[in-house]
Amino acid sequence: MDRQKYQELVSTFFEWDPPAISQIFSELLSAVSAESASTPASLMSQNYETARANPEIHVLPGNLKDARDAIFPYFWGTDSWNNPLHLENVRGPANHASLIGVLACLLKNPNLCTDRYSQRSNELEVKAITTLANLIFYHTNDPWGVFTIGGTISNLYGAKIGLERVLPGAMRTGLLGQSIVGICSQASHYSNQTVAGWLGIGTSNLLEIPTDEDLAMRVDLLDAKLEELYQAGTKVAYVCATFGTTDGFGIDDIEAIRHIIDAKSKKYSVPAPQLHADAAVGWALSMLTDYDLSKNPLQMEEQLLELVRRAQVKNKGLRFADSVTIDFHKMGRGHYPSSAFIVNRREDLKYLARTVSDTPYFSDADASRDPALFTLECSRPGLGPYSVIASLNGIGLTGWQMLLARSLELAQRLKDKLATLEHCKVLNAGTCGATVNWWVLPKGRNAEEIYQRLVRNELTQEQWARYRPEIRQLFDKRLKMMDPAIDARLGFTTSYGFCPNGYDIPAWKAVFFNPKTTEAMVDRIADSIAEL
Ligand SMILES: *Cc1c(COP(=O)(O)O)cnc(C)c1O
């Protein structure tokens, strides 16, 4: 081989050249800041045809600028959601403390599978998990957990522990044809379906309990369902409570669920199901737990204080969960993937543990330091812990309280504005969170009255078939009419989670994750609806 060419190659791609790297970085940074001059809708259009028909690999070794050029159009064509008019879904702009954290992580590229491959980055994971556990479970003694590639996988861990609780050894024997179910609410995230399917329980054995109007699981119906299941000898592996539903921020009463599952499992002498809290969206409310309402150091207005007070009451429920899913990449405004799965009591990880002989090339692994002995994944990125610890300590608890309170405040402002329009109906008025779901019907209709008739099952099929599409038609009309420079981009859901009499209810949706969104932008949403 040509030694000189080889040396050039190695020196370009494996030796540190800080000026060359920082130059490209500053070019990318200036491209990102240029984005702020454009509106959310003005992306470069996609070219999927060529992505498949014309795969690409250079023949000759190049340099770092070739790497830059190869990805640049796709980088430029991707919206970072920094624009404060983005309100479509549970995605916000990533914060810059997180950016520092994840960049540092990428420079070392640790693999969290065992601490030999990651040294202090593994320690950082323990620190990040323990910090989040203390926010969530409050005074907890022995929590443990890991970062995963997303809320779906974190939910999978919770369900898997439940499966092993009710069918010990399932890791080895499989389900043995047993009748096993998992339970969640009708407003829960679709990842619960993914989990039931992939675990072998089967999506048809995931039972969805209807919710009340505030998108919380009906605990009376849970009680009745458990009675029916245990009577029939069915094993109930887990109940996945939702803490903050994705569309409407509904919060299940985890304390009540705890009491019910404990009482029922005792009555039938069976192991209690795993009580997992899917707090992918809602966990961030726990930043508000310690806010002093009487001293009110941030001088919040009375109405906002009331929202914080309500959040504090909800947060108490989390302490009753066995395990929890936290997506830091949602309300933590962290970088993807920063999802954490946390158990309240470390001993529960025994349900996931495999022996060293199952993981031969980690023969020197130690379960206390080496997550690979119980994780689903083998190689795991360190991005989550770096994002979390950099963000929590850069921004600080008080900073987080300001961000959280601001989200609640803007959501409430929109709810209040929409409530004054007769042809609108705020659907999740009773939830305490960062999202708003509502109807817009043609002017002249009384949205509240139509909604009440739907709930009381007084609408005829024809009436509902007429009203329902109007909600979407008006959404599409606003899309056509909107001025992308001033009109916020909203989301739409075909079923926001409350399904009275079995009807899926569609809704317009706004999510307040962007700290730069202003009152004027919120008021403009209501005005643009009045103009339709
Ligand atoms: C987003 C979400 C999930 C899935 O999380 P990913 O990180 O997208 O995999 C699960 N549950 C809820 C409630 C969510 O909002």
Side-chain angles (χ1 to χ4, degrees):
M1 206 191 333
D2 183 329
R3 280 279 150 197
Q4 197 191 333
K5 278 198 176 137
Y6 181 75
Q7 273 318 324
E8 279 167 20
L9 183 74
V10 172
S11 125
T12 308
F13 292 102
F14 294 94
E15 267 161 28
W16 289 109
D17 181 353
I21 294 172
S22 12
Q23 185 195 334
I24 292 178
F25 249 93
S26 47
E27 290 163 2
L28 295 176
L29 272 176
S30 59
V32 175
S33 23
E35 201 183 301
S36 60
S38 64
T39 63
S42 56
L43 273 187
M44 186 186 267
S45 59
Q46 282 157 309
N47 185 8
Y48 277 119
E49 296 77 10
T50 292
R52 285 179 60 81
N54 216 357
E56 201 178 350
I57 179 169
H58 283 183
V59 175
L60 298 178
N63 56 33
L64 301 185
K65 291 180 192 168
D66 293 307
R68 174 200 65 192
D69 293 348
I71 52 88
F72 191 79
Y74 312 94
F75 174 79
W76 181 253
T78 297
D79 186 331
S80 56
W81 281 45
N82 274 309
N83 194 296
L85 292 170
H86 269 303
L87 305 179
E88 299 97 309
N89 213 333
V90 287
R91 138 142 223 208
N95 80 76
H96 295 162
S98 173
L99 180 69
I100 301 297
V102 299
L103 284 176
C105 178
L106 290 176
L107 292 177
K108 289 297 186 79
N109 199 29
N111 181 343
L112 300 187
C113 60
T114 76
D115 84 353
R116 212 138 75 87
Y117 298 177
S118 57
Q119 297 88 22
R120 293 205 74 184
S121 293
N122 211 341
E123 174 190 330
L124 190 69
E125 178 174 50
V126 173
K127 197 182 185 73
I129 290 287
T130 312
T131 308
L132 292 173
N134 279 309
L135 281 170
I136 295 291
F137 298 124
Y138 216 54
H139 296 290
T140 179
N141 294 323
D142 198 23
W144 201 260
V146 284
F147 281 83
T148 75
I149 52 169
T152 304
I153 306 301
S154 295
N155 284 345
L156 181 83
Y157 276 79
K160 178 63 179 160
I161 291 182
L163 191 55
E164 295 291 330
R165 272 187 203 282
V166 300
L167 193 63
M171 188 82 83
R172 191 164 34 85
T173 61
L175 304 189
L176 300 170
Q178 300 250 357
S179 166
I180 298 176
V181 301
I183 294 179
C184 59
S185 89
Q186 212 158 39
S188 69
H189 190 263
Y190 82 93
S191 58
N192 284 295
Q193 298 276 341
T194 311
V195 166
W198 285 60
L199 269 183
I201 290 173
T203 53
S204 56
N205 295 314
L206 176 71
L207 309 178
E208 295 185 345
I209 308 291
T211 70
D212 62 21
E213 278 187 274
D214 293 336
L215 303 165
M217 185 190 289
R218 288 264 308 269
V219 287
D220 56 326
L221 298 181
L222 171 69
D223 190 299
K225 180 55 85 180
L226 284 173
E227 197 57 43
E228 176 194 323
L229 290 164
Y230 285 141
Q231 288 276 353
T234 304
K235 293 186 190 313
V236 183
Y238 57 89
V239 176
C240 181
T242 309
F243 191 88
T245 59
T246 314
D247 284 335
F249 228 101
I251 292 180
D252 289 345
D253 184 344
I254 306 175
E255 180 175 2
I257 295 173
R258 166 99 273 155
H259 294 317
I260 289 172
I261 64 174
D262 284 354
K264 289 282 174 241
S265 56
K266 198 161 166 223
K267 177 172 167 194
Y268 287 92
S269 306
V270 292
Q274 176 80 359
L275 177 48
H276 181 75
D278 178 358
V281 173
W283 70 272
L285 289 184
S286 62
M287 300 281 195
L288 296 169
T289 294
D290 269 340
Y291 186 73
D292 187 333
L293 295 168
S294 52
K295 291 211 183 89
N296 190 17
L298 290 172
Q299 298 174 330
M300 297 184 193
E301 293 71 19
E302 192 44 50
Q303 198 194 14
L304 180 54
L305 267 187
E306 180 51 32
L307 294 173
V308 173
R309 189 174 294 127
R310 281 170 57 199
Q312 291 183 348
V313 173
K314 297 283 182 202
N315 288 345
K316 293 205 171 100
L318 286 167
R319 301 170 201 176
F320 294 87
D322 294 315
S323 55
V324 62
T325 290
I326 290 178
D327 272 3
F328 201 81
H329 52 236
K330 286 182 181 158
M331 265 192 125
R333 287 88 163 186
H335 288 79
Y336 298 106
S338 300
S339 181
F341 168 74
I342 307 180
V343 290
N344 200 347
R345 291 166 307 275
R346 179 176 170 176
E347 56 169 346
D348 285 349
L349 290 179
K350 68 172 181 274
Y351 294 107
L352 302 175
R354 267 143 311 139
T355 61
V356 172
S357 65
D358 292 334
T359 51
Y361 59 82
F362 298 141
S363 55
D364 54 353
D366 167 348
S368 68
R369 296 179 289 116
D370 297 334
L373 291 177
F374 64 85
T375 52
L376 167 71
E377 310 95 321
C378 177
S379 294
R380 275 188 313 123
L383 295 166
Y386 277 87
S387 170
V388 166
I389 289 293
S391 303
L392 292 183
N393 292 289
I395 292 174
L397 188 58
T398 304
W400 283 105
Q401 290 171 344
M402 291 193 264
L403 290 171
L404 260 295
R406 178 65 175 161
S407 288
L408 299 183
E409 183 174 49
L410 288 176
Q412 190 59 45
R413 185 180 182 95
L414 181 59
K415 285 178 179 175
D416 292 347
K417 289 268 161 196
L418 293 170
T420 64
L421 302 175
E422 202 188 30
H423 61 299
C424 292
K425 159 73 187 163
V426 177
L427 298 165
N428 67 335
T431 67
C432 173
T435 55
V436 186
N437 299 157
W438 73 98
W439 277 358
V440 181
L441 287 167
K443 281 199 195 107
R445 294 221 195 284
N446 184 327
E448 176 68 36
E449 190 209 56
I450 291 173
Y451 172 82
Q452 294 303 344
R453 280 166 55 212
L454 179 72
V455 172
R456 291 197 304 266
N457 212 8
E458 289 169 10
L459 286 187
T460 64
Q461 295 275 355
E462 298 79 64
Q463 283 170 324
W464 181 231
R466 184 146 35 93
Y467 300 140
R468 199 174 62 95
E470 289 174 349
I471 299 164
R472 176 78 213 194
Q473 281 153 15
L474 287 167
F475 185 83
D476 292 338
K477 183 173 176 196
R478 179 178 177 277
L479 264 184
K480 284 203 200 82
M481 289 174 57
M482 70 185 245
D483 175 351
I486 54 168
D487 284 319
R489 296 172 70 80
L490 305 172
F492 191 88
T493 172
T494 52
S495 177
Y496 81 106
F498 174 51
C499 309
N501 315 302
Y503 287 121
D504 282 324
I505 300 186
W508 293 39
K509 160 171 156 180
V511 182
F512 293 96
F513 276 17
N514 193 313
K516 292 183 290 178
T517 303
T518 63
E519 272 87 0
M521 292 172 189
V522 173
D523 297 352
R524 173 68 205 148
I525 295 174
D527 293 346
S528 74
I529 288 170
E531 285 164 17
L532 279 177

